[in-house]
Amino acid sequence: MKRRIIAIDPGTDRSAVVTIDIDGEVNGQILDNHVLEKWLRDFHHKKDWTCVIEMIGCYGQRVGREVFETCVVIGRYLSAWETRTIAEPARLVRRDVKMELCSTNRANDADIRAALIDLYGPGKDKAIGKKASPGPLYGFRKDMWAALAVAVTYERMLENGEVPTKNEVVE
């Protein structure tokens, strides 16, 4: 069953957001965090959509200011989405995305991008296309791939009955 999904790859200053509509249409963009927060707060069709955010995971390594700033951003997005809906956004960690799309924790951004191209292709010509004949992922860049990976992972987890309950982060 297809769902309407808003997936976010948060960052300290800008975040990537991808929407997948019920018919499978994919749109992505990178927005300043204050713009995305306002967009989430004002989104008019919240009851028909599910929001999923990539969460910071603990991997036993030291982290810097950027990680903590991103945690603050995630909190702001959670709050913005909940203003007019009772459904809290789902949260997924990167490890789950890697395992779902690449079947290994060692996967990197290039591996995840390749898996998404295969899923929407197969092949770059069909998945991305060219200006004259754009594919469904035409124009995707940078962190939009990560947000799309979160959306695809969440959809697959729903299909397999593996989605966490409220306030539970999959790790």
Side-chain angles (χ1 to χ4, degrees):
M1 178 176 155
K2 291 288 185 187
R3 290 164 178 78
R4 294 179 168 116
I5 298 174
I6 297 170
I8 301 170
D9 177 43
T12 55
D13 300 315
R14 304 181 86 204
S15 297
V17 61
V18 167
T19 59
I20 302 178
D21 205 337
I22 198 86
D23 60 2
E25 183 179 337
V26 180
N27 293 296
Q29 56 188 324
I30 297 174
L31 299 171
D32 288 336
N33 287 343
H34 68 278
V35 173
L36 180 53
E37 183 182 349
K38 182 177 181 343
W39 183 81
L40 288 170
R41 196 172 307 283
D42 296 339
F43 193 75
H44 296 294
H45 306 289
K46 286 184 181 181
K47 66 180 179 183
D48 299 337
W49 289 78
T50 300
C51 183
V52 59
I53 302 172
E54 185 174 321
M55 187 64 187
I56 302 296
C58 178
Y59 302 105
Q61 299 175 351
R62 292 181 183 185
V63 296
R65 181 193 66 80
E66 293 84 10
V67 171
F68 294 108
E69 288 298 323
T70 302
C71 289
V72 171
V73 169
I74 291 169
R76 294 179 69 92
Y77 291 161
L78 292 169
S79 176
W81 182 258
E82 292 175 342
T83 55
R84 281 195 239 138
T85 182
I86 58 168
E88 181 175 320
R91 293 170 276 170
L92 299 177
V93 292
R94 187 75 166 164
R95 184 178 329 131
D96 294 318
V97 173
K98 290 178 178 184
M99 290 303 295
E100 182 63 43
L101 296 178
C102 302
S103 300
T104 178
N105 279 327
R106 296 180 186 263
N108 58 29
D109 289 346
D111 297 328
I112 291 170
R113 184 176 185 268
L116 291 169
I117 288 171
D118 285 346
L119 179 67
Y120 280 88
K124 208 172 175 181
D125 287 340
K126 187 174 179 187
I128 299 172
K130 301 191 181 332
K131 187 174 184 177
S133 59
L137 306 180
Y138 182 78
F140 267 59
R141 59 188 170 80
K142 299 182 179 182
D143 294 329
M144 287 189 277
W145 292 101
L148 177 61
V150 168
V152 169
T153 298
Y154 183 76
E155 178 68 28
R156 287 182 175 181
M157 291 177 84
L158 283 175
E159 289 171 0
N160 295 329
E162 300 170 357
V163 174
T165 59
K166 186 175 180 178
N167 296 325
E168 179 184 4
V169 176
V170 176
E171 290 208 66

